[in-house]
Amino acid sequence: MNNTVILCVDDEKTILDSLREQLIDHFEGQYGVEMAEGGEEAVELFKELLEEQYEIPLVISDCIMPDMKGDELLKRIHAISPKTLKIMLTGQTSTEAVINAVNNAKLYRYISKPWEKEDLALTASEAIKSYFKDQQPDKQNK
């Protein structure tokens, strides 16, 4: 069983299903894809996955959700796991939210909805490559 997971967060189930399908199809089962329908659920799931020894190189989150805005979620994820890369996915975000995520959560990229399948795949691939490249010196030091 693979212990590497991509976490997708959106308050719309159809968006989550589409993300999951496209990521599983692109990565051909290399990574698991977990989904959360809101910020609070995502934080809890993130913590549980880490406790169960899963590696989470990437979180893809919507910006506008009812319980917690995406920039706040990414900031909380960053506080738990600074090396996890974050992508904000939204059709209607403010510049302030993106700047907040860049400054406080080390936002990797921003993708507009509706996204192009190839753009999502390329961005996710580059993020995961970057994550594992950054992990190599840490593993060598251990």
Side-chain angles (χ1 to χ4, degrees):
M1 182 176 79
N2 193 329
N3 71 336
T4 304
V5 171
I6 300 167
L7 177 60
C8 300
V9 188
D10 199 299
D11 58 322
E12 294 181 49
K13 184 148 176 31
T14 54
I15 298 291
L16 288 173
D17 290 341
S18 182
L19 281 169
R20 177 184 213 136
E21 181 182 311
Q22 288 179 25
L23 291 168
I24 288 173
D25 184 48
H26 174 71
F27 289 113
E28 299 176 348
Q30 263 185 295
Y31 310 113
V33 178
E34 292 288 333
M35 303 184 303
E37 291 187 39
E40 293 296 339
E41 181 184 335
V43 170
E44 290 306 310
L45 179 56
F46 192 86
K47 289 177 182 176
E48 286 172 23
L49 289 167
L50 289 178
E51 286 172 13
E52 294 172 11
Q53 303 298 308
Y54 282 91
E55 190 157 17
I56 309 166
L58 179 62
V59 173
I60 301 173
S61 176
D62 188 18
C63 184
I64 300 174
M65 297 179 286
D67 70 331
M68 183 188 302
K69 300 293 182 223
D71 57 332
E72 178 61 27
L73 167 63
L74 298 180
K75 184 177 164 183
R76 287 178 63 184
I77 295 284
H78 185 73
I80 298 165
S81 176
K83 293 182 180 184
T84 296
L85 296 177
K86 299 109 187 149
I87 295 173
M88 190 178 289
L89 180 70
T90 188
Q92 43 181 302
T93 190
S94 69
T95 305
E96 182 182 327
V98 173
I99 291 169
N100 189 27
V102 168
N103 290 337
N104 299 309
K106 199 176 166 191
L107 184 68
Y108 180 75
R109 293 273 158 74
Y110 165 84
I111 299 177
S112 297
K113 286 182 185 176
W115 65 87
E116 293 291 326
K117 186 176 178 179
E118 297 77 21
D119 187 30
L120 174 69
L122 179 64
T123 303
S125 292
E126 290 302 315
I128 291 172
K129 262 190 237 171
S130 177
Y131 172 86
F132 283 112
K133 183 179 175 193
D134 289 348
Q135 298 306 306
Q136 287 175 344
D138 289 348
K139 288 181 180 174
Q140 288 172 354
N141 290 337
K142 288 180 183 176

